[in-house]
Amino acid sequence: MPTQLSRATMAALQTEFRNRQAEVLALTRALVEAESPSGDLTGNELVVSLLESAARALPAITSIDRIAAPGYGSHLRITAFGNPDDDTKPLVILGHTDTVHGRGSVTERPWRVEENRIYGPGVFDMKANCALALSALAVCAATELPIGGPVKLLLTCDEENGSPTGRRVVEEETRDARAVLVLEPPASGGRVKTGRKGTGMFTVEAIGRAAHAGLEPEKGASAVLEIANQIVRLHAMNDLGAGTSVNAGVVRGGTLSNVVAATAHAEVDIRFSSMAEGKRIEHQILQLQSCDERVRLSVRGGVNRPPLERTTGVLALYEHARHIASLLDCDLGETSVGGASDGNFVGALGVPVLDGLGIDGDGAHAAHEHILVDKIAGRGALIAGLLATL
């Protein structure tokens, strides 16, 4: 039988998290100041070492494993509760240790506290949540909450770069999970995410023919013009009403203004709400043909993440979390968003997943990135409550 929690129990959990808040913030600050942009091996290994050291001090931990991620560092898997002979399906907490902020960002925008807000590169997405996950395991053990089986904390190190090595690990570790809790940042107001769009990434490259733009422009074939025409085609694929967006976000080409450009390329992002729509747009982009027959066009890429669709399993998990939150007098909202996460991979497996369970704040990937201090304890109590009742 699943554990039933009372208002008194949830209030006690929230108090326990408040008592441990200084520890959570101390670890969070260390993680933020150990910069770990995707692909920075030194920064990644330092962050993983900090988390591993903190985990080793917890009594509930049964194993800690680093999983090699060539070119990125190490993914971290921490297992708590249960025992080696336990065949109960695990509950998985999912997150990542990498950020989008380049090395040196913490010098430009150092950790700072302004009333209820704490600022720092990567604090919201999602280093504070890595620290909170460990605190949740500690609180469950300290308060002797009955946990119904093993709990795995999986932190990947390449999520912000599309999970080129992390996808396989995420799928392997969550395929047989009874549920997956994703500690990505929430939407505004602390709303969890019950739907995410799928993503695709493409590079469209044009190879033309260089010529002097003043003396003999007719002998040239402009790769820049070709890419411009392709961008018009790509833009025409947008269908915002259906949840489909196509964006050429990076465009480069040419060498000098007086040379007909021989090369140019565009990097293209797509978002879609269903896998069928994603495959349709993928096919259209991969079949693009040159407008100028003198220019050779090549297209690389494809769908990167499937959508996280709002299935009955996702909805049931959300309603369960909403009930737990109500014991704290919190009305837990939900939303669907355009951004993707490793939770998308889990949703495609048909495993119940709830995303956006991190600490409330704002500014993911931006200079004003921050968390709200007064939301830490409540979010921690919600996560602990979920661990005890799923």
Side-chain angles (χ1 to χ4, degrees), residues 236-260:
M237 297 178 191
N238 276 284
D239 186 350
L240 300 184
T244 301
S245 63
V246 180
N247 179 62
V250 176
V251 182
R252 295 190 177 95
T255 53
L256 297 169
S257 62
N258 64 349
V259 178
V260 176

Side-chain angles (χ1 to χ4, degrees), residues 165-204:
T165 71
R167 177 174 186 169
R168 176 187 59 80
V169 177
V170 169
E171 291 174 340
E172 287 179 355
E173 296 294 332
T174 64
R175 192 178 305 277
D176 296 323
R178 60 188 190 271
V180 176
L181 308 176
V182 186
L183 266 60
E184 286 280 350
S188 59
R191 291 174 295 165
V192 294
K193 299 168 182 178
T194 53
R196 284 185 179 272
K197 289 185 179 181
T199 63
M201 297 183 292
F202 301 83
T203 299
V204 181

Side-chain angles (χ1 to χ4, degrees), residues 196-204 234-235 237-240 243-249 267-286 288 299-307 338-340 344:
R196 284 185 179 272
K197 289 185 179 181
T199 63
M201 297 183 292
F202 301 83
T203 299
V204 181
L234 289 163
H235 184 77
M237 297 178 191
N238 276 284
D239 186 350
L240 300 184
T244 301
S245 63
V246 180
N247 179 62
E267 296 174 22
V268 181
D269 174 279
I270 68 169
R271 307 285 164 137
F272 48 90
S273 297
S274 71
M275 198 62 200
E277 176 68 357
K279 287 296 184 183
R280 186 186 71 81
I281 294 296
E282 178 186 61
H283 178 76
Q284 274 192 263
I285 294 175
L286 292 176
L288 287 172
V299 184
R300 304 184 304 277
V303 168
N304 168 253
R305 284 188 173 98
N344 290 51

Side-chain angles (χ1 to χ4, degrees), residues 128-167:
N129 301 324
C130 294
L132 186 66
L134 289 180
S135 186
L137 299 178
V139 167
C140 286
T143 58
E144 299 184 343
L145 275 181
I147 306 299
V151 176
K152 291 183 180 181
L153 171 59
L154 179 64
L155 302 174
T156 61
C157 63
D158 59 1
E159 191 272 348
E160 297 290 8
N161 206 36
S163 305
T165 71
R167 177 174 186 169

